Amino acid sequence: MKNLVVASFSGGTGKSAVTAVLAKLFQEVLVADLSLGATGQQVYLPGEPFRIMEHARGLRAQVEMRFCTDCARCIPACPEKAIGPDYQVDGCLCTACDLCIDACPEEAIGYTANSAGRWYFSDTQCGLRVSADLEGASSFDPGLVERIFGEARNLASARELPLMLTDLPSGMDEVTLPVWEQADLLILVTEPSARDVAAFRKSVALLKEKKLPVVQVINRHDLNRAYTMELLDIALKEGIRTAGKIGFDPEMYRAPDLARRDGVNFPGLIPAGLRGDYVNLWHSLKFILKEQEKNHG
């Protein structure tokens, strides 16, 4: 099984739309939507969750207000200032150190699971989607994305699917980099902007240091020819393939809304002028994957 990870340096590059269209073209895939509630696959490949699991990050204190006498001794007792004036505990700050419990004369404080989001399964028109988001979270766990990526990968392997497509949050940081490093092919979606040109230049050294199998896809390449040429030049200079270029069409922005309204498949509403770009990208990626198999075989 191959892991194709779709990533970007910044938000708004169209990464999630690219993921959804590729899912339709490749067909036998599991889609892992790890965009954490941003404009991800729920927009492009909708489906109601049929199984939901909570993700917890240890424990956090919780004040039981029915026993609380409003003495406020717990507030100064907390060295992390995790307890607010309303006695709500910030799960991102609480370290479960017991000091607030020791300070409470009414024994009104205990521990509860520190929710860090959830993950769930949904059936979509392009197959099974495994998603993660921060709904109900009281803390943030940087390892959430990597953990659910592993769960999705195991499921795809158990189902003997040839391919898994992962839609990541934007950025190259402690949340996304562990998944970048596990990709069989990292599809980096850029757009012709000063921001992405600067980010690409800055990140090339790390991409090469970690020997990541990366290709570039330039979305909306025809909006700024000068920046597109810079992105192409950086990739060429650093030995990074540009697997495809996708043009701009304002109808692309309307496609998800039309799909939801009419109950049809979003990838089927790709504007005619862009379909050739996506098919060319698909063929290019298939060629690169076959080339990988040949080189590793």
Side-chain angles (χ1 to χ4, degrees):
M1 185 193 68
K2 293 288 186 179
N3 293 312
L4 270 61
V5 174
V6 187
S8 65
F9 292 123
S10 55
T13 61
K15 165 180 59 64
S16 294
V18 170
T19 304
V21 177
L22 289 177
K24 176 64 174 178
L25 291 170
F26 276 111
Q27 294 187 342
E28 287 188 272
V29 300
L30 182 147
V31 175
D33 179 13
L34 306 182
S35 56
L36 297 183
T39 306
Q41 297 310 310
Q42 184 58 36
V43 172
Y44 296 103
L45 299 177
E48 289 300 316
F50 63 82
R51 183 182 176 194
I52 299 175
M53 285 118 329
E54 296 295 325
H55 177 73
R57 188 189 187 194
L59 300 173
R60 67 174 175 86
Q62 177 172 288
V63 181
E64 291 288 345
M65 296 308 298
R66 56 182 173 161
F67 301 128
C68 178
T69 59
D70 199 23
C71 73
R73 294 181 188 178
C74 58
I75 295 176
C78 178
E80 306 299 332
K81 297 182 170 54
I83 305 176
D86 58 355
Y87 302 108
Q88 295 301 305
V89 179
D90 186 336
C92 292
L93 298 177
C94 178
T95 60
C97 66
D98 290 345
L99 294 178
C100 62
I101 292 177
D102 294 341
C104 179
E106 302 299 328
E107 298 183 353
I109 304 176
Y111 286 126
T112 187
N114 194 20
S115 175
R118 62 175 191 161
W119 59 288
Y120 54 91
F121 299 144
S122 302
D123 282 320
T124 77
Q125 293 174 324
C126 290
L128 183 65
R129 170 165 56 84
V130 177
S131 302
D133 62 37
L134 300 178
E135 184 172 326
S138 56
S139 69
F140 180 68
D141 180 2
L144 170 63
V145 165
E146 186 180 8
R147 182 208 165 184
I148 308 309
F149 173 78
E151 298 279 0
R153 182 182 56 198
N154 292 339
L155 179 60
S157 179
R159 293 193 173 197
E160 299 183 340
L161 294 172
L163 195 67
M164 185 172 95
L165 272 168
T166 300
D167 181 5
L168 279 183
S170 60
M172 186 178 186
D173 52 30
E174 64 174 343
V175 174
T176 59
L177 192 54
V179 177
W180 287 36
E181 294 174 327
Q182 297 178 67
D184 291 305
L185 186 62
L186 180 66
I187 303 170
L188 187 60
V189 181
T190 61
E191 63 176 356
S193 66
R195 178 184 58 184
D196 268 23
V197 167
F200 202 4
R201 289 191 194 280
K202 181 180 178 181
S203 303
V204 159
L206 184 57
L207 291 171
K208 294 180 71 175
E209 174 191 331
K210 292 185 173 294
K211 299 180 180 179
L212 299 179
V214 58
V215 297
Q216 174 182 220
V217 174
I218 306 177
N219 195 25
R220 301 186 282 265
H221 72 92
D222 46 355
L223 287 182
N224 190 307
R225 182 174 177 80
Y227 284 138
T228 292
M229 292 306 299
E230 286 195 63
L231 291 169
L232 289 169
D233 287 345
I234 295 169
L236 183 63
K237 178 182 177 182
E238 302 298 339
I240 296 173
R241 278 188 195 178
T242 297
K245 296 187 297 179
I246 301 168
F248 171 75
D249 190 319
E251 290 299 309
M252 189 69 171
Y253 294 103
R254 299 181 59 233
D257 290 334
L258 291 175
R260 284 194 297 270
R261 186 194 70 187
D262 299 334
V264 298
N265 196 329
F266 157 75
L269 296 177
I270 300 300
L274 300 185
R275 291 174 190 171
D277 293 345
Y278 276 106
V279 170
N280 288 338
L281 169 61
W282 175 53
H283 282 300
S284 179
L285 293 174
K286 287 198 299 181
F287 175 81
I288 292 169
L289 290 172
K290 287 182 180 178
E291 192 177 58
Q292 282 184 339
E293 289 180 6
K294 181 179 178 181
N295 292 338
H296 295 155

